[in-house]
């Protein structure tokens, strides 16, 4: 605390007088040094020589005493105050800025400031100079006391006491000055106690009783000091002298509390005195307990429980009271009362664990066998808070667990109690060290076996708890790394069972640090599966493959786990890795075909996995070709079933892709289906042969459909593939026809083959083969007029049209229709029109006029004898009109006979068509006139 500048009228007058005189050189030197202390900053730290320089200057100044005049003394006081305030600033700066200024150097400067006042103590014009000088010494002494410089502190306190001794204490009325007298005595007493001068310390405290002045604060301070000395004496060696001293000091403190209550004027003072009295009584009861004065302990405890002042209010519920009471009752031999106190402790949560241990130990030690059940009950009720030997803890844990196999509530409760017991740090510490190696292994086995029983009973929570506690008894050394890793792995399994995946992951990470192996990798795989982190699970499959102790069996397990978790991509990845071991020639427990079948079955469950399924189907076909069907699929009925499954699955996948317009996949699946069907027996019923044919034909159909879907012309490779498939299909058809088995082929299938063969051969510019394949179809039993009509129309309209094929197909269709018992005249009319159009486009009217005239005449002959409207009227009109119009060009060219023929054909057809009466009359008139013209022309020529 800074000291205010001296400001009194006398001092101001004297100050003016001193200002008129020149300072003494020594004072100027001191002032200069003080100025240095005032100028200390971060940039200008406290000079190390400053305290010694000031001390030297002060020594020379003391040699000038007595000083010349009061003004000289006032100057010294002023300089002292400046130095003190500079010390205060230095201390504050050191506290706030962690300055490197030495605390002892600052204390030395304070000491110099105090000594300067002592030299100039005979000063006038300063209020209460004696009190101020004494106060400075008191504060300086406190600083030395905090720095553990008790001899210097004692010197300051004694100098302050010497200064105050000239004052009559009875005449002091200021509360601050009275407080200084008491504080000075208490400070001297504490310093004497620190240097083990106990008698002087107590004497000074007793002397302080004369400095209370009826103040509650003075009573509190002195009472607390007596109590502090009593506690200090109690902490020394437990001998009668120390206990007696402690008891005497605490009784003094208690007496002062009771007297202080009489001086209390506020409620706060009363509460504080009551609290001090309760605290002192507790310590007094502890001293009585140590002295073996048990009756006195009971009296103190009862007084405390009734209230600090003997009333019911403010009853003390401190945690130490039941312990003190229990030990006192035990000392008196009243075990039932001690048991009540011990059981009463169970509900008191404020009692520290170390106190519980002490209380239970004390009770069990005194009561012995008779108190075993009580000690055991408290021991279990308090979660095993008992200090016992390793063997004793082992026996208690084994006895509590019993012979239960887990799964029932009783076993679970007992396991939880033991888990709480063995997890206590003090119990764990009992099993530390080589001396208790056997006991440590035994308790680990007890806990592990119990955890295993609960795990088998699927009580994973209890099992995890017990496994965790068993880990406390595995040393953290190299020899036990494997055991610790095993413990972490089983904990991972427990938390997997509890679906606490984060904790399971933490444990398996720890296990992998200790013992990286395939078991750890597989458990991490299970965790990722349950988290639905499929990409991580797939990555973990690769991690398993890198483990030194890996075996393919783990991939099979991984696939099963993935399937059970509906993680189909993970199962596919696992089985894909599994397949690689077959290629390397490793002996595997499962046949390769089963793995392929499982993979494809999984992929078919996902609508978007056709590409993956195709990949594995292709691999399976390649392996079958390389190894042979019997080696790959198996022999006997089992092999046949496998072959049939792959063939049918490929067919179904191809059909589905075709329906979904995934034509590229459809082609590949159907091509593979034809290969798989070819492995089957084709000699029995011919069903497999037909399926081969279907696959090939539909595969080509899908290739052609792909062109339309992509709106781009087929590549040369695609055309070549289609041609190869058709060659295979053609051979099958030829074989069946030659064997007389054409009946097993659907007519529509033969038609599709013919149509696709026509299309693909057209792309290869093989028109001769186009005609051949159509003629072959026309001569088969599968042919009918509808198929021929479609072929004719397609051949006439496709980008690669073939008029020869079209004409042949339509003529064959027309012949078939005319020869039928119930001709389809609309279709006949359509065919005739189509034939006329084809001939007109590809041959021209003049190039093959007779052939076209024959078609018109054939149409006329068909119309003869038909009922009205039986032949389509529109088609009849078209024939009549087009035949009549064909005469136009011959008329213009003067080809009279040709024109006459076309006009006659047109008129003849018109006579058979309903609704052409008007046209027919005009046509007859024109034809008659034209005939006359022709006759005249002939006569002229003659």
């Amino acid at each position: 605390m800074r000291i205010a500048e001296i400001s009194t009228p006398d001092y101001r007058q004297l100050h003016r007088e001193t200002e008129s005189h020149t300072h003494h050189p020594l004072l100027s030197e001191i002032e200069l040094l003080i100025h240095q202390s005032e100028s200390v900053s971060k940039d200008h730290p406290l000079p190390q020589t400053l305290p010694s320089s000031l001390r030297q200057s002060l020594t020379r100044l003391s040699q000038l005493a007595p000083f010349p005049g009061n003004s000289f003394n006032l100057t010294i006081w002023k300089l002292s105050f400046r130095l003190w305030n500079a010390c205060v600033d230095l201390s504050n700066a050191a506290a706030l800025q962690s300055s490197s200024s030495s605390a002892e150097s600052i204390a030395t400067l304070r000491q110099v400031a105090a000594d300067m006042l002592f030299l100039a103590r005979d000063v006038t014009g300063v209020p209460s100079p004696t009190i101020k000088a004494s106060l400075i010494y008191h504060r300086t002494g406190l600083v030395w006391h905090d720095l553990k410089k008790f001899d210097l502190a004692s010197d300051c306190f004694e100098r302050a006491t010497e200064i105050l001794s000239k004052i009559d204490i009875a005449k002091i009325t200021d509360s601050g000055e009275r407080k200084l007298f008491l504080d000075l005595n208490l400070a001297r007493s504490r310093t004497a106690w620190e240097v083990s001068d106990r008698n002087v310390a107590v004497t000074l405290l007793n002397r302080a009783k004369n400095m209370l002045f009826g103040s509650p604060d003075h009573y509190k301070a002195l009472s607390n000091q007596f109590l502090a000395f009593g506690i200090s004496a109690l902490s020394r060696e437990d001998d009668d002298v120390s206990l007696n001293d402690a008891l005497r000091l605490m009784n003094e403190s208690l007496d002062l509390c009771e007297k202080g209550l009489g001086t209390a004027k506020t409620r706060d003072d009363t509460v504080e005195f009551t609290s001090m009295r309760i605290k002192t009584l507790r310590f007094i009861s502890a001293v009585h307990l140590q002295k073996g004065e048990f009756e006195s302990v009971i009296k103190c405890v009862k007084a405390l429980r009734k209230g600090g002042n003997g009333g019911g209010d403010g009853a003390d519920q401190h945690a130490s009271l039941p312990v003190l009471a229990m030990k006192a009752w035990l000392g008196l031999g009243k075990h039932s009362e001690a048991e009540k106190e011990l059981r009463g402790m169970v509900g008191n949560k404020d009692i520290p664990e170390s106190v519980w241990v002490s209380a239970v130990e004390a009770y069990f030690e005194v009561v012995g066998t008779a108190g075993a059940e009580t000690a055991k009950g408290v021991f279990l009720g308090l979660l095993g808070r008992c200090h016992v030997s390793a063997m004793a803890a082992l026996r208690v844990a084994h006895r509590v667990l019993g012979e239960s196999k887990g799964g029932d509530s009783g076993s679970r409760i007992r396991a939880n109690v033991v888990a709480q017991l063995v997890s206590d740090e003090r119990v764990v510490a009992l099993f530390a060290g080589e001396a208790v190696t056997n006991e440590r292994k035994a308790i680990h086995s007890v806990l592990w076996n119990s955890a295993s029983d609960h795990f088998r009973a699927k009580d994973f929570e209890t099992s995890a708890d017990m496994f965790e506690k068993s880990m406390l008894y595995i040393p953290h050394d190299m020899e036990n790394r494997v055991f610790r890793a095993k413990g972490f792995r089983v904990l991972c399994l427990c938390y997997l069972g509890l679906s606490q995946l984060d904790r399971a992951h933490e444990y398996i990470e720890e296990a992998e640090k200790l013992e990286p192996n395939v078991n750890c990798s597989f458990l991490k795989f299970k965790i990722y599966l349950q988290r639905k982190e499929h990409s991580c699970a797939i990555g973990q499959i690769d991690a398993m493959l890198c483990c030194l102790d890996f075996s393919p069996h783990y991939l099979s397990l991984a696939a099963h786990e993935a399937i059970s978790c509906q993680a189909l991509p993970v199962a596919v990845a696992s089985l894909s890795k599994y397949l690689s071991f077959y290629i390397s020639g490793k002996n595997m427990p499962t046949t390769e075909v089963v793995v392929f079948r499982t993979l494809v079955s999984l992929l078919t469950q996902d609508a978007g996995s056709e590409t993956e399924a195709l990949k594995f189907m292709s691999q399976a076909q390649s392996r079958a070709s390389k190894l042979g069907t019997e080696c790959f699929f198996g022999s006997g009925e089992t092999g046949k079933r496998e072959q049939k499954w792959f063939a049918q699955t490929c067919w179904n996948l191809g059909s589905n892709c075709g329906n979904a317009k995934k034509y590229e996949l459809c082609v590949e699946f159907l091509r593979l289906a034809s290969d798989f069907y070819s492995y089957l027996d084709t000699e029995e019923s011919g069903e497999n042969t037909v399926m081969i044919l279907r696959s090939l034909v539909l595969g080509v159909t899908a290739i052609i459909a792909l062109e339309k879907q992509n709106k781009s012309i087929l590549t040369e490779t695609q055309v070549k593939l289609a041609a190869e498939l058709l060659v295979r299909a053609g051979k099958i058809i030829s074989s069946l026809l030659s064997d007389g088995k054409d009946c097993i082929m659907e007519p529509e299938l033969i038609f599709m083959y013919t149509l696709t063969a026509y299309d693909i051969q057209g792309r290869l510019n093989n028109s001769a083969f186009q005609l051949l394949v159509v003629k072959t179809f026309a001569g088969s039993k599968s042919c009918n007029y509808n198929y021929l009509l479609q072929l004719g129309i397609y051949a006439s309209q496709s980008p690669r049209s073939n008029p020869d094929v079209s004409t042949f197909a339509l003529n064959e269709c027309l012949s078939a229709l005319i020869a039928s018992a119930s001709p389809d005249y609309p279709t006949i009319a359509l065919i005739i029109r189509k034939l006329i159009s084809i001939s007109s486009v590809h041959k021209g009217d003049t190039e093959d006029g007779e052939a076209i005239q024959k078609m018109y005449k054939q149409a006329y002959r068909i119309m003869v004898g038909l009922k009205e409207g039986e032949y389509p009227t529109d088609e009849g009109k078209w024939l009549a009109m087009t035949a009549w119009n064909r005469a136009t060009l011959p008329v213009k060219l003067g080809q009279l006979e040709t024109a006459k023929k076309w006009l006659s054909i047109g008129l003849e057809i018109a006579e058979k068509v309903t609704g052409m009466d008007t046209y027919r009359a005009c046509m007859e008139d024109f034809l008659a006139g034209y005939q006359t013209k022709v006759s005249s022309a002939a006569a002229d020529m003659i």
Side-chain angles (χ1 to χ4, degrees):
M1 180 183 293
R2 294 174 60 89
I3 301 176
E5 295 290 341
I6 302 171
S7 180
T8 64
D10 295 338
Y11 174 73
R12 287 192 294 271
Q13 181 179 357
L14 291 170
H15 179 66
R16 287 191 296 269
E17 293 175 0
T18 57
E19 288 293 325
S20 62
H21 299 86
T22 303
H23 280 311
H24 191 280
L26 192 56
L27 292 180
S28 299
E29 179 183 339
I30 293 174
E31 184 177 11
L32 181 61
L33 293 172
I34 293 173
H35 180 72
Q36 292 183 27
S37 67
E38 293 173 332
S39 302
V40 171
S41 64
K42 289 184 178 180
D43 299 329
H44 299 86
L46 179 68
Q48 296 182 356
T49 60
L50 182 60
S52 59
S53 299
L54 271 172
R55 174 59 64 188
Q56 293 173 4
S57 300
L58 183 61
T59 301
R60 295 200 304 274
L61 182 64
S62 64
Q63 296 173 358
L64 299 178
F67 300 128
N70 191 55
S71 61
F72 198 91
N73 289 333
L74 281 172
T75 301
I76 294 174
W77 273 70
K78 179 178 179 181
L79 293 175
S80 174
F81 281 10
R82 285 177 58 188
L83 179 58
W84 180 268
N85 290 336
C87 292
V88 172
D89 292 339
L90 288 173
S91 297
N92 293 337
L96 294 175
Q97 303 175 9
S98 300
S99 174
S100 59
S101 300
S102 172
E104 291 191 14
S105 297
I106 299 173
T108 302
L109 294 179
R110 291 178 185 269
Q111 182 74 53
V112 172
D115 291 342
M116 290 175 67
L117 293 184
F118 183 75
L119 289 176
R121 60 187 178 279
D122 297 329
V123 67
T124 57
V126 177
S128 306
T130 302
I131 296 296
K132 285 184 171 61
S134 175
L135 180 63
I136 294 297
Y137 269 114
H138 174 247
R139 291 177 179 174
T140 303
L142 293 177
V143 172
W144 286 121
H145 188 278
D146 292 339
L147 294 174
K148 306 298 181 182
K149 302 291 185 179
F150 299 118
D151 53 342
L152 296 176
S154 180
D155 291 342
C156 289
F157 295 144
E158 290 174 359
R159 183 66 62 87
T161 303
E162 180 184 349
I163 295 172
L164 289 177
S165 63
K166 300 177 181 179
I167 301 176
D168 185 2
I169 192 172
K171 295 180 180 180
I172 297 176
T173 58
D174 183 76
S175 60
E177 294 177 358
R178 288 179 172 181
K179 187 71 164 54
L180 176 62
F181 275 87
L182 178 63
D183 290 344
L184 187 56
N185 266 278
L186 295 180
R188 287 185 65 193
S189 176
R190 285 194 295 271
T191 303
W193 188 272
E194 291 291 344
V195 296
S196 299
D197 196 350
R198 307 298 170 84
N199 292 331
V200 173
V202 174
T203 300
L204 288 171
L205 287 185
N206 288 325
R207 186 184 298 175
K209 293 179 181 178
N210 299 323
M211 304 173 186
L212 298 176
F213 303 108
S215 170
D217 291 336
H218 289 199
Y219 277 98
K220 294 174 191 176
L222 186 56
S223 175
N224 283 329
Q225 195 59 62
F226 269 112
L227 180 59
F229 286 168
I231 294 172
S232 178
L234 189 62
S235 64
R236 291 184 296 173
E237 294 182 1
D238 188 8
D239 54 31
D240 292 340
V241 175
S242 298
L243 293 176
N244 290 332
D245 289 344
L247 185 59
R248 184 173 66 256
L249 291 168
M250 291 177 183
N251 282 328
E252 289 285 353
S253 175
L254 182 63
D255 182 61
L256 287 169
C257 286
E258 292 174 347
K259 291 179 179 178
L261 280 169
T263 64
K265 298 178 182 179
T266 64
R267 178 174 178 79
D268 291 341
D269 287 337
T270 302
V271 171
E272 192 169 353
F273 275 119
T274 302
S275 176
M276 291 170 59
R277 183 178 181 279
I278 290 173
K279 180 179 179 181
T280 305
L281 270 175
R282 285 201 298 268
F283 278 106
I284 289 174
S285 63
V287 176
H288 283 305
L289 184 63
Q290 286 188 293
K291 293 182 68 176
E293 298 171 352
F294 304 117
E295 291 286 354
S296 298
V297 176
I298 297 299
K299 290 180 181 179
C300 289
V301 171
K302 288 182 178 179
L304 287 168
R305 285 175 172 172
K306 290 180 180 179
N309 54 6
D313 297 333
D316 188 19
Q317 301 294 332
H318 195 269
S320 64
L321 294 185
V323 180
L324 291 170
M326 186 206 71
K327 292 184 176 181
W329 288 122
L330 288 174
L332 294 173
K334 297 183 179 181
H335 298 167
S336 60
E337 296 295 331
E339 182 180 342
K340 291 180 182 179
E341 295 290 346
L342 185 61
R343 292 189 179 278
M345 295 180 195
V346 176
N348 193 334
K349 297 181 180 180
D350 295 329
I351 298 177
E353 189 169 336
S354 59
V355 176
W356 281 118
V357 173
S358 175
V360 173
E361 285 181 340
Y363 180 84
F364 191 79
E365 181 181 357
V366 173
V367 179
T369 305
E373 289 299 322
T374 301
K376 176 184 174 182
V378 174
F379 181 82
L380 295 176
L382 298 172
L383 310 180
R385 294 178 183 176
C386 180
H387 179 76
V388 293
S389 66
M391 181 56 70
L394 172 62
R395 292 176 60 184
V396 170
H398 188 269
R399 183 168 63 249
V400 173
L401 286 174
E403 300 298 330
S404 173
K405 297 300 181 182
D408 57 281
S409 60
S411 298
R412 188 178 302 111
I413 293 172
R414 289 193 292 273
N416 289 336
V417 171
V418 172
Q420 295 170 21
L421 166 64
V422 299
S423 62
D424 188 277
E425 293 181 357
R426 291 160 299 166
V427 175
V428 175
L430 294 175
F431 293 88
E434 296 182 1
V436 289
T437 300
N438 293 333
E439 289 82 354
R440 183 172 58 249
K441 290 181 179 179
I443 195 168
H444 175 266
S445 298
V446 168
L447 298 174
W448 185 277
N449 292 337
S450 176
S452 300
D453 292 337
H454 286 284
F455 187 87
R456 283 189 287 270
K458 300 192 180 301
D459 184 0
F460 298 119
E461 185 173 0
T462 304
S463 178
D465 196 19
M466 295 302 287
F467 276 127
E468 285 178 348
K469 301 310 180 286
S470 71
M471 294 286 289
L472 298 173
Y473 297 92
I474 303 178
H476 292 70
D477 53 25
M478 292 298 295
E479 296 179 0
N480 291 280
R481 286 170 64 91
V482 174
F483 293 107
R484 291 188 62 78
K486 182 179 179 181
F488 285 131
R489 286 197 296 269
V490 296
L491 281 168
C492 173
L493 286 172
C494 290
Y495 285 108
L496 275 172
L498 293 169
S499 297
Q500 296 182 21
L501 303 182
D502 290 339
R503 293 199 66 180
H505 191 266
E506 291 175 7
Y507 279 117
I508 201 59
E509 287 284 355
E510 293 299 322
E512 195 168 38
K513 292 176 184 177
L514 295 171
E515 187 188 15
N517 57 23
V518 70
N519 292 324
C520 294
S521 294
F522 182 74
L523 288 176
K524 289 177 74 173
F525 171 82
K526 285 173 65 72
I527 293 170
Y528 290 135
L529 274 183
Q530 294 193 25
R531 283 179 172 176
K532 300 187 183 304
E533 298 176 3
H534 294 170
S535 59
C536 294
I538 293 172
Q540 197 60 35
I541 293 173
D542 294 327
M544 283 193 284
L545 293 171
C546 298
C547 294
L548 297 177
D549 56 342
F550 169 79
S551 68
H553 175 65
Y554 284 94
L555 291 176
S556 178
L557 290 177
H560 284 294
E561 291 287 340
I563 293 171
S564 66
C565 293
Q566 295 298 309
L568 300 186
V570 182
V572 170
S574 179
L575 292 175
S576 300
K577 300 291 183 182
Y578 196 74
L579 282 175
S580 63
F581 291 94
Y582 292 97
I583 298 174
S584 63
K586 188 178 182 65
N587 290 328
M588 304 293 285
T590 307
T591 58
E592 186 175 6
V593 69
V594 171
V595 180
F596 273 113
R597 174 161 47 80
T598 306
L599 269 169
V600 175
S601 297
L602 292 174
L603 291 169
T604 53
Q605 297 178 30
D606 187 359
S609 300
E610 292 89 353
T611 304
E612 284 288 307
L614 176 62
K615 180 181 73 173
F616 290 113
M617 277 293 193
S618 298
Q619 291 180 14
Q621 192 274 333
S622 176
R623 293 289 291 170
S625 299
K626 181 179 180 180
L627 300 176
T629 56
E630 186 171 342
C631 182
F632 181 76
F633 292 108
S635 59
E637 291 299 321
T638 301
K640 290 181 179 180
R641 284 196 298 270
E642 293 290 357
Q643 293 174 30
K644 193 171 183 179
W645 185 90
F646 276 89
Q648 289 179 344
T649 302
C650 271
W651 170 264
N652 293 335
L653 289 171
S655 300
N656 293 337
C657 289
N659 293 333
K661 296 184 179 181
K662 299 178 181 179
Y663 297 120
E664 191 169 357
L665 292 173
C666 176
V667 172
E668 295 300 323
F669 276 120
L670 292 175
R671 182 181 63 80
L672 287 172
S674 67
D675 293 336
F676 282 117
Y677 275 115
S678 66
Y679 297 145
L680 294 168
D681 186 5
T682 58
E683 298 298 329
E684 295 180 359
S685 63
E687 180 182 353
N688 295 328
T689 304
V690 174
M691 289 304 300
I692 297 172
L693 182 60
R694 287 176 183 169
S695 302
L696 293 171
V697 173
L698 290 178
V700 177
T701 305
I703 293 175
I704 297 171
L706 180 64
E707 179 183 46
K708 295 179 180 179
Q709 184 184 57
N710 295 337
K711 296 179 180 179
S712 60
I713 299 174
L714 292 177
T715 64
E716 183 178 348
T717 303
Q718 290 172 323
V719 173
K720 184 177 180 181
L721 173 62
E724 291 175 356
L725 297 178
L726 288 171
V727 168
R728 290 178 59 190
K731 290 179 180 179
I732 294 172
I733 293 173
S734 298
S735 175
L736 292 174
L737 290 175
S738 63
D739 294 340
K741 295 182 178 180
D742 53 336
C743 59
I744 66 174
M745 295 184 291
E746 302 96 325
E748 185 179 7
L749 180 62
I750 305 303
F751 167 71
M752 290 179 65
Y753 164 76
T754 304
L755 186 63
T756 54
Y758 170 84
D759 184 281
I760 297 301
Q761 292 301 324
R763 298 171 192 270
L764 297 173
N765 297 320
N766 193 349
S767 58
F769 187 85
Q770 286 180 305
L771 182 59
L772 176 62
V773 74
V774 173
K775 286 182 176 180
T776 303
F777 175 69
S780 69
K781 296 179 181 179
S782 301
C783 182
N784 61 43
Y785 76 89
N786 190 34
Y787 290 148
L788 289 171
L789 176 62
Q790 293 183 59
L791 284 170
I793 294 174
Y794 183 77
S796 66
Q797 295 178 348
S798 64
R800 286 161 291 278
S801 61
N802 190 327
D804 294 336
V805 173
S806 177
T807 301
F808 171 79
L810 291 174
N811 281 324
E812 289 293 319
C813 181
L814 181 61
S815 298
L817 286 171
I818 293 173
S820 66
S822 301
D824 183 359
Y825 290 108
T827 303
I828 291 173
L830 174 64
I831 293 171
I832 291 174
R833 176 190 280 215
K834 200 70 178 176
L835 285 169
I836 293 172
S837 298
I838 292 171
S839 297
S840 300
V841 172
H842 293 282
K843 296 182 179 181
D845 293 340
T846 59
E847 182 179 340
D848 198 10
E850 292 183 4
I852 296 174
Q853 287 179 7
K854 287 181 180 180
M855 294 178 192
Y856 277 95
K857 291 178 179 179
Q858 184 180 19
Y860 172 75
R861 287 194 295 273
I862 292 170
M863 296 170 68
V864 172
L866 295 180
K867 298 178 182 179
E868 183 178 344
E870 193 171 1
Y871 193 93
T873 302
D874 291 339
E875 292 296 329
K877 289 181 179 180
W878 181 85
L879 289 170
M881 298 300 292
T882 55
W884 185 268
N885 291 335
R886 285 179 183 277
T888 303
L889 184 60
V891 169
K892 291 181 179 180
L893 296 176
Q895 299 174 354
L896 302 179
E897 290 299 327
T898 302
K900 182 179 177 181
K901 289 180 181 179
W902 283 114
L903 291 172
S904 299
I905 293 171
L907 181 59
E908 290 174 354
I909 295 173
E911 290 175 351
K912 302 297 181 183
V913 179
T914 304
M916 293 193 69
D917 297 339
T918 305
Y919 290 102
R920 188 167 59 248
C922 294
M923 293 169 72
E924 289 174 348
D925 293 341
F926 181 82
L927 180 59
Y930 187 73
Q931 286 178 341
T932 303
K933 182 177 179 181
V934 171
S935 299
S936 300
D940 293 339
M941 289 176 66
I942 295 172

